[in-house]
Amino acid sequence: MVKLKNYNGVVKHFVLLLTFISVISCAEKKYTVIKIEGKEIGITDKNSEVAAIENFIKPYRDRIDADLNTVLANAPETIDKSGEWQTPMGNFLADITFEKSDKVFQMREKKTIDICLLNHGGIRSIIPKGNVTARTAYEVMPFENSAIVIGLKAEQIIEMINYIISEKKPHPLKGLTFTIDKNNQPKNILVNRKSLDANKVYNVVTSDYLSNGGDNMLFFKKGVAQYDLNYKLRNIILDYFKENKTIVANTDIRIIKE
């Protein structure tokens, strides 16, 4: 007869051993980085893979370059960003954004735009004297920002004015004019040549970036209405170039400093 007592003891020890091994193997393993090595791999036109990629994209690059270099208009004088409270470039962008957006806004909402405010930092280039191309538009406005109309009460228009004064930057502005007195306070505030109406909601066109409080323009977040025109600011510039063979900037005064 087989003696089961000793056999059962062996089985128990074997099971305990398997359990111990299982626990050890399932335990979290920790790794430590000892050193990091790297080396420079040169990429040249002699590399067959690089040459193959270059040959593949060349037709697309050539087509894009041809489109971007298409002459759309002419600028008799350079339109630059120089100025204390306003600049030729800022006036130009605010004017055309106001004009093009207003047409879309009237068609869709049966309302008119009162003011345009953009940001000086968003202007990334000038319009040089001479031929104006599609590339010019991309250089001036390389971002994918769209035109947004925000309904602001008169108190937010005052906040906007105080923001402009405190910033001391020539932010592109259209439709709104005012004077900064010797105490650095605004006066003679006019919206399209009319006194500010405390009971009116003003439609202000800006970029989607600024409408969300970008550049600390927090007054836009207090808007009582918002309309997305689905019209990129760059496309506004391109459309204007295509429709106007001569590109000039208005030099009318929008902000006066006593």
Side-chain angles (χ1 to χ4, degrees):
M1 179 179 292
V2 179
K3 295 182 180 180
L4 296 177
K5 183 176 180 181
N6 293 334
Y7 177 76
N8 289 337
V10 172
V11 171
K12 289 179 180 178
H13 284 88
F14 181 69
V15 171
L16 288 173
L17 178 62
L18 289 179
T19 302
F20 177 75
I21 293 173
S22 176
V23 170
I24 294 299
S25 64
C26 293
E28 181 179 356
K29 296 181 180 180
K30 297 182 178 180
Y31 298 93
T32 303
V33 177
I34 299 175
K35 66 177 181 178
I36 299 175
E37 294 182 343
K39 65 178 181 178
E40 182 177 336
I41 301 176
I43 299 178
T44 66
D45 292 338
K46 295 180 180 179
N47 186 302
S48 60
E49 292 183 0
V50 173
I53 294 173
E54 176 64 24
N55 291 334
F56 178 77
I57 66 175
K58 187 178 184 302
Y60 300 96
R61 180 192 290 124
D62 292 345
R63 176 59 185 273
I64 291 173
D65 284 341
D67 289 342
L68 291 177
N69 292 332
T70 300
V71 175
L72 303 176
N74 181 271
E77 300 293 338
T78 296
I79 302 176
D80 61 25
K81 297 171 60 177
S82 61
E84 182 179 6
W85 291 102
Q86 61 185 56
T87 70
M89 194 68 203
N91 282 8
F92 174 75
L93 288 179
D95 288 352
I96 68 171
T97 301
F98 186 107
E99 175 188 324
K100 304 295 287 184
S101 298
D102 189 52
K103 291 179 181 178
V104 176
F105 195 50
Q106 287 191 46
M107 181 178 64
R108 293 184 184 176
E109 305 295 334
K110 311 304 179 187
K111 299 178 181 179
T112 59
I113 288 175
D114 300 295
I115 299 168
C116 174
L117 176 65
L118 303 173
N119 60 324
H120 179 68
I123 308 172
R124 292 309 171 118
S125 184
I126 64 173
I127 299 177
K129 178 180 178 180
N131 289 336
V132 176
T133 65
R135 188 183 299 277
T136 306
Y138 279 83
E139 291 173 345
V140 171
M141 189 64 61
F143 312 110
E144 296 298 314
N145 295 121
S146 296
I148 302 287
V149 179
I150 305 293
L152 295 180
K153 294 181 179 180
E155 58 191 278
Q156 274 72 63
I157 301 301
I158 297 296
E159 289 183 41
M160 176 192 298
I161 294 170
N162 288 329
Y163 170 88
I164 293 173
I165 295 174
S166 65
E167 281 280 294
K168 297 180 180 179
K169 293 180 181 179
H171 294 300
L173 184 66
K174 166 71 173 179
L176 174 66
T177 61
F178 59 91
T179 298
I180 306 172
D181 67 19
K182 295 180 180 179
N183 296 316
N184 220 35
Q185 296 299 312
K187 68 178 185 179
N188 302 330
I189 300 171
L190 300 176
V191 178
N192 295 317
R193 300 181 181 179
K194 296 181 180 179
S195 299
L196 192 66
D197 186 344
N199 299 314
K200 181 176 179 177
V201 173
Y202 291 92
N203 294 314
V204 183
V205 64
T206 187
S207 71
D208 51 355
Y209 167 69
L210 298 178
S211 71
N212 289 317
D215 276 10
N216 210 32
M217 294 191 186
L218 302 180
F219 47 84
F220 277 126
K221 300 189 74 173
K222 301 177 183 179
V224 296
Q226 179 171 311
Y227 310 87
D228 188 346
L229 300 185
N230 296 308
Y231 199 176
K232 292 190 181 301
L233 298 184
R234 186 195 305 119
N235 290 343
I236 289 176
I237 300 173
L238 284 169
D239 288 345
Y240 190 86
F241 286 169
K242 293 173 183 177
E243 296 168 5
N244 297 269
K245 297 306 177 184
T246 302
I247 306 301
V248 295
N250 290 327
T251 58
D252 55 307
I253 305 300
R254 297 156 198 214
I255 300 175
I256 299 173
K257 181 74 165 66
E258 290 185 342

